[in-house]
Amino acid sequence: MAELDAASAAVVARRRAQGAAGEDLLGLLLRAVDSGDLAPEGLRDELVTMVIAGHETVASALTWTLHLLAQEQGAQRRVAEELDAVLGGGDERGGRAPAWEDLRALVRTRAAVEESLRLFPPAWVVSRRAVAEDVLDGVTVPAGTTAIISPWLLHRRPELFPDPEAYRPERFEEGLSRGARTAYTPFGAGPRLCIGRDFALVETTLVLAELLRGASVHPAPGARVRVDALVTMRPRDGLRLEVRPR
Ligand code: HEM
């Protein structure tokens, strides 16, 4: 707790020293403090929430995407073709660095992330506590019940995602069926939908493009990947990959 407190205090002190609050999320929160809408402890809580919710989830998503692309070289080649076309590959550095303006064209790269979020949703379970009795699809749910929703299971329903265990990013390029769109919940759903969803998809797509524009990934010889499902889902002993220039 002390480390988190110190880290968030340092971020705030640095920004305060610059004078203007700024136009980003921190700036908005600082203005809310200045106008009395947010207590200083509330600011600390918001910052810590953003770091905790936005750090390991994104790292986990990128880790599993690299794992899947290493396993499925065909899918990885399709991403590489796109990166070469969009970023001007061919030279030994794999073209230029991806930028915000490239996002619309990075269709396959984004689909590679979305399909990975289907098979390995970092938030593999989401839970809710019933504040009052309710009836869900004919089932009475008493007040106080903990309901657990598992994106991991929803994402593997064969009637919605044919051949569900296969890593096939094309699903997202072709467009999901309506039912599949509803069941696809790596970022949750409804009023508590992940506030960082769009940011996360931009971030992961651009980072993946940067990692793979000049390199390819392959399973490390002898490495075994086992899933540890804790708060987020991660490979038990880390992910060992062979990285080759391409
Ligand atoms: C691939 C990356 C991410 C995944 C898989 C993910 C997943 C989720 C899920 C499933 C929820 C809903 C939890 C629930 O309904 O109980 C959630 C909520 C949330 N996420 Fe994310 N998230 C990601 C990235 C981020 C980022 C980058 C940020 C911040 C910059 C963030 C901030 C939050 C916050 C603040 C909430 C709570 C929203 C609320 O309750 O109103 N997440 N996330």
Side-chain angles (χ1 to χ4, degrees):
M1 290 296 271
E3 255 176 63
L4 285 173
D5 285 348
S8 78
V11 167
V12 171
R14 221 169 23 243
R15 180 62 61 87
R16 289 288 194 202
Q18 289 170 7
E23 293 303 319
D24 57 6
L25 179 62
L26 178 57
L28 291 175
L29 292 169
L30 286 174
R31 272 200 287 278
V33 172
D34 293 343
S35 62
D37 290 331
L38 181 66
E41 315 83 70
L43 171 62
R44 175 255 180 232
D45 292 349
E46 295 291 343
L47 292 179
V48 171
T49 298
M50 287 298 160
V51 172
I52 304 268
H55 179 212
E56 190 171 338
T57 44
V58 168
S60 167
L62 278 167
T63 301
W64 291 117
T65 306
L66 290 171
H67 166 66
L68 289 162
L69 288 172
Q71 297 289 327
E72 295 298 333
Q73 290 295 319
Q76 189 175 163
R77 265 193 302 279
R78 294 187 72 249
V79 170
E81 277 168 25
E82 176 173 272
L83 296 178
D84 289 351
V86 175
L87 305 173
D91 71 10
E92 60 191 25
R93 293 190 317 281
R96 61 181 171 77
W100 168 261
E101 294 72 32
D102 299 312
L103 275 169
R104 285 171 77 91
L106 295 175
V107 176
R108 294 178 180 182
T109 313
R110 179 177 160 130
V113 173
E114 290 179 306
E115 172 73 337
S116 155
L117 288 169
R118 183 182 71 79
L119 283 171
F120 291 97
W124 59 290
V125 282
V126 170
S127 62
R128 290 290 184 275
R129 196 167 53 83
V131 291
E133 184 178 298
D134 205 347
V135 179
L136 282 183
D137 202 19
V139 178
T140 301
V141 179
T145 304
T146 298
I148 297 176
I149 302 117
S150 172
W152 171 280
L153 289 178
L154 286 172
H155 293 174
R156 281 173 167 71
R157 292 181 66 159
E159 72 279 20
L160 298 175
F161 303 97
D163 197 5
E165 292 293 341
Y167 177 66
R168 236 176 38 82
E170 295 95 314
R171 292 179 210 274
F172 287 85
E173 294 162 44
E174 292 155 6
L176 300 179
S177 69
R178 214 173 142 208
R181 275 205 306 276
T182 309
Y184 182 70
T185 46
F187 296 102
R192 312 305 301 211
L193 180 79
C194 175
I195 200 173
R197 179 186 63 174
D198 290 355
F199 181 85
L201 285 171
V202 168
E203 184 183 10
T204 45
T205 302
L206 290 182
V207 173
L208 188 65
E210 175 62 15
L211 291 176
L212 294 182
R213 72 185 166 101
S216 62
V217 287
H218 307 265
R224 240 180 93 208
V225 176
R226 283 176 302 167
V227 179
D228 246 355
L230 306 166
V231 176
T232 62
M233 206 170 32
R234 41 155 98 184
R236 179 161 306 168
D237 307 306
L239 178 70
R240 288 179 52 224
L241 291 173
E242 212 171 82
V243 181
R244 298 182 197 149
R246 65 173 184 88

